[in-house]
Amino acid sequence: MEVSGWNGVPNPEHKTLDGAYVRLEPLQAEAHASSLFRASQAPGAEDRFRYLFDEPPTDLGAFSEWVSKLEPSRDPMFFAVIDKRTGLTEGRQTLMRINRAHGVIEIGNILWGPAIARTRAATEALFLFADYIFALGYRRFEWKCNDLNVPSKRAAKRFGFQYEGLFRRHMVVKGQSRDTAWFSMLDSEWPRLRVGYLRWLNPENFDSSGQQLSKLRFEP
């Protein structure tokens, strides 16, 4: 398929992306380390970090230093996920493997703490990234995970990513060989997916306790 007039895409800006339920802010130690440390240490941390490249933090000072080193990084580009109900940092995620020449970008380093995991906040955090990068002209948005990470693969499919295959012995992570499952969504698919997200994220789709009234779905 010919792509006429293609000149690549700009780098994403490291800027605040504001939604109805969450706000994504450039990750900064002073603003976010303390509450992100708390969210990272919450019960279930071992499971949440099992397939991440880093380990659950155990010391706030060391964790703050680690966050400080990430602040200037532009690939991966770290964002704090702020729960707008409380103003607390409840997670983090990155834009990474940014390929401007081909219009390809990936979401990674996802840590959604128990306060937002499997809620409309986490779904909106993903939506804000997708809506932003496709508006910039990116052609392909990727999600990759350890093939053993069943919850991550399930989430990718729920979010509208298409499974593309398995990269065998793709990495060595924490002393373990990793087979990587690849998923993607395309710019041509985003208008349809976006309608489904906006319908699901509508406040009228949730009861007083924040429980969904209808599931996230995408019309053909």
Side-chain angles (χ1 to χ4, degrees), residues 51-96:
Y51 299 112
L52 292 172
F53 291 97
D54 49 320
E55 300 284 356
T58 58
D59 178 82
L60 177 57
F63 181 71
S64 296
E65 290 182 12
W66 179 74
V67 173
S68 293
K69 292 177 181 178
L70 299 176
E71 288 182 19
S73 175
R74 293 299 177 266
D75 190 357
M77 184 182 290
F78 277 81
F79 289 79
V81 183
I82 313 298
D83 186 342
K84 294 183 72 169
R85 296 176 307 157
T86 63
L88 296 175
T89 305
E90 297 291 356
R92 67 167 204 228
Q93 58 193 53
T94 66
L95 292 172
M96 58 184 287

Side-chain angles (χ1 to χ4, degrees), residues 191-208:
R192 174 179 60 86
L193 298 175
R194 189 175 191 274
V195 170
Y197 273 102
L198 291 176
R199 179 174 53 236
W200 188 84
L201 289 167
N202 190 312
E204 294 182 359
N205 187 42
F206 301 92
D207 64 21
S208 58

Side-chain angles (χ1 to χ4, degrees), residues 10-174:
N11 271 321
E13 295 182 53
H14 205 193
K15 66 176 186 177
T16 297
L17 304 176
D18 199 22
Y21 311 114
V22 297
R23 184 173 62 254
L24 306 181
E25 297 179 353
L27 184 64
Q28 297 180 334
E30 183 176 355
H32 308 119
S34 180
S35 54
L36 182 57
F37 178 78
R38 174 198 48 77
S40 300
Q41 279 203 320
E46 183 177 346
D47 287 336
R48 285 193 299 277
F49 278 84
R50 187 180 310 279
Y51 299 112
L52 292 172
F53 291 97
D54 49 320
E55 300 284 356
T58 58
D59 178 82
L60 177 57
F63 181 71
S64 296
E65 290 182 12
W66 179 74
V67 173
S68 293
K69 292 177 181 178
L70 299 176
E71 288 182 19
S73 175
R74 293 299 177 266
D75 190 357
M77 184 182 290
F78 277 81
F79 289 79
V81 183
I82 313 298
D83 186 342
K84 294 183 72 169
R85 296 176 307 157
T86 63
L88 296 175
T89 305
E90 297 291 356
R92 67 167 204 228
Q93 58 193 53
T94 66
L95 292 172
M96 58 184 287
R97 300 187 184 279
I98 302 167
N99 190 320
R100 296 173 54 204
H102 300 296
V104 180
I105 196 166
E106 178 181 343
I107 182 173
N109 297 289
I110 299 171
L111 175 68
W112 293 329
I116 61 171
R118 295 180 294 279
T119 73
R120 58 188 175 183
T123 297
E124 188 179 53
L126 182 284
F127 169 80
L128 289 172
F129 262 12
D131 205 40
Y132 177 53
I133 63 99
F134 284 125
L136 288 177
Y138 281 81
R139 304 171 62 237
R140 173 181 169 89
F141 188 33
E142 296 181 335
W143 175 297
K144 304 187 185 92
C145 62
N146 191 313
D147 191 50
L148 297 176
N149 192 346
V150 174
S152 183
K153 293 193 292 184
R154 187 184 302 123
K157 292 178 181 179
R158 175 181 176 271
F159 289 142
F161 289 87
Q162 298 295 311
Y163 178 68
E164 294 184 327
L166 186 69
F167 275 42
R168 299 179 298 166
R169 295 190 179 182
H170 179 223
M171 295 181 179
V172 177
V173 180
K174 297 177 179 176

